[in-house]
């Protein structure tokens, strides 16, 4: 069973989906973990998680290939 690690965090659900989509295009399995407070959506963030064996590649792609 793979362990998951945070590779990116944002307050924007749109940016989270974009990062997840780019990673998926590159063959990296990623999931979005919604850590927003459920009632008012004021606190928290959306975290992109990748498995152990893909963390370094995911961070490299996010750092060098995705700009907002």
């Amino acid at each position: 069973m793979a362990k998951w690690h945070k590779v990116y965090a944002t307050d924007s659900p749109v940016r989270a989906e974009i990062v997840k989509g780019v990673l998926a295009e590159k063959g990296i399995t990623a999931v979005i973990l919604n850590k927003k407070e459920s009632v008012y959506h004021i606190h928290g963030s959306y975290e992109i998680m990748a498995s152990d064996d893909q963390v370094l590649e995911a961070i490299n792609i996010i750092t060098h290939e995705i700009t907002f």
Side-chain angles (χ1 to χ4, degrees), residues 5 14-15 23 35 44-45 55 63:
H5 298 281
V14 174
R15 286 186 179 188
L23 292 176
K35 291 216 164 178
S45 63
V55 169
T63 303

Side-chain angles (χ1 to χ4, degrees), residues 33-46:
L33 182 60
N34 183 350
K35 291 216 164 178
K36 282 281 190 184
E37 188 271 319
S38 64
V39 178
Y40 299 107
H41 298 285
I42 297 172
H43 302 288
S45 63
Y46 298 92

Side-chain angles (χ1 to χ4, degrees), residues 23-65:
L23 292 176
E25 287 176 359
K26 302 289 185 175
I28 295 175
T29 304
V31 294
I32 297 174
L33 182 60
N34 183 350
K35 291 216 164 178
K36 282 281 190 184
E37 188 271 319
S38 64
V39 178
Y40 299 107
H41 298 285
I42 297 172
H43 302 288
S45 63
Y46 298 92
E47 296 181 352
I48 308 301
M49 310 293 282
S51 64
D52 273 348
D53 57 335
Q54 296 178 320
V55 169
L56 294 177
E57 185 179 358
I59 291 171
N60 189 36
I61 290 168
I62 292 166
T63 303
H64 299 291
E65 297 184 29

